Amino acid sequence: MEQNKSELNPELFDMMRQGKLSAAKILALISLKELVDKFAHKPFLEPEKLAEIKARTGAEPDILSWGDYFQTEVASRFFDKSDSDFSKIVDTIRFDLISAHLIFSGKPDYFTDSVRGQAIISRSVDSSFWTLEDEESVHLEILLDYYEQMGLGEKPLSISDRIWYESFELKREAV
């Protein structure tokens, strides 16, 4: 059973009933799901894994796409944030997905190997002692993981995403 692209994941219905998700957060989560599913060009669950889950449990899981995954993660981790902060989190995810596309598209293996190597070095240090460079190395590896696991570079960025990205960067610089 395929879910409608413009809906809240059933995993979040209890949170909604408990009043943990405002109308603004629900709309942001629906938008996030659509956005992430637009960017992701690889499945969250491979067809074999999905068939295995169905065979084992007798039902399809609620989290089927990358959009489902991000929607449920953001809701469960940040439901207690203000609507404004919640919206900023969603915008930051969009910024990160576009950044990953721009940073890693067309890059050779030695570049991605270097990113992974730097992250390993940074993670070998207790995070309480991380420098800004260590934080950036680990974050860059997270972006690389998104890029590879979600297939972010398989289609070019849309003009509207590039315009949004540049305007978001300008807003961040102004703060």
Side-chain angles (χ1 to χ4, degrees):
M1 179 174 115
E2 190 165 318
Q3 289 176 273
N4 181 337
K5 291 184 183 246
S6 299
E7 69 179 26
L8 192 66
N9 191 283
E11 289 287 322
L12 302 175
F13 289 173
D14 281 342
M15 290 181 77
M16 186 178 68
R17 281 191 283 274
Q18 295 167 11
K20 292 181 177 178
L21 299 174
S22 67
K25 288 176 184 167
I26 291 169
L27 291 173
L29 289 167
I30 291 169
S31 172
L32 175 64
K33 177 183 173 11
E34 291 173 356
L35 172 80
V36 171
D37 284 340
K38 176 183 88 168
F39 277 96
H41 298 291
K42 288 185 179 177
F44 178 73
L45 288 173
E46 295 294 333
E48 311 80 53
K49 184 69 177 170
L50 183 58
E52 177 188 318
I53 292 169
K54 279 178 162 177
R56 191 175 66 240
T57 65
E60 202 171 71
D62 286 328
I63 299 175
L64 294 170
S65 71
W66 283 104
D68 292 329
Y69 171 77
F70 274 83
Q71 188 184 69
T72 55
E73 278 294 305
V74 169
S76 50
R77 289 178 62 194
F78 303 111
F79 69 90
D80 57 345
K81 299 287 185 188
S82 69
D83 287 352
S84 175
D85 287 345
F86 199 86
S87 178
K88 288 176 188 169
I89 291 164
V90 170
D91 283 348
T92 300
I93 292 168
R94 183 178 185 184
F95 183 83
D96 280 353
L97 294 176
I98 296 170
S99 293
H101 192 293
L102 293 172
I103 292 167
F104 297 109
S105 287
K107 294 296 189 304
D109 288 344
Y110 70 81
F111 178 74
T112 57
D113 292 345
S114 171
V115 167
R116 293 218 187 276
Q118 284 301 122
I120 289 169
I121 292 167
S122 293
R123 281 194 315 276
S124 71
V125 174
D126 185 312
S127 62
S128 62
F129 297 107
W130 278 0
T131 64
L132 183 57
E133 289 80 17
D134 291 321
E135 289 177 22
E136 288 174 355
S137 292
V138 171
H139 185 247
L140 198 56
E141 184 185 40
I142 291 167
L143 296 182
L144 176 57
D145 288 343
Y146 288 165
Y147 180 80
E148 291 177 345
Q149 293 170 9
M150 297 171 69
L152 297 180
E154 293 184 17
K155 284 189 180 175
L157 285 175
S158 69
I159 298 294
S160 62
D161 285 325
R162 284 182 176 270
I163 291 169
W164 180 91
Y165 181 84
E166 289 172 17
S167 70
F168 187 82
E169 263 191 320
L170 292 173
K171 280 189 253 178
R172 284 181 38 183
E173 290 171 6
V175 173

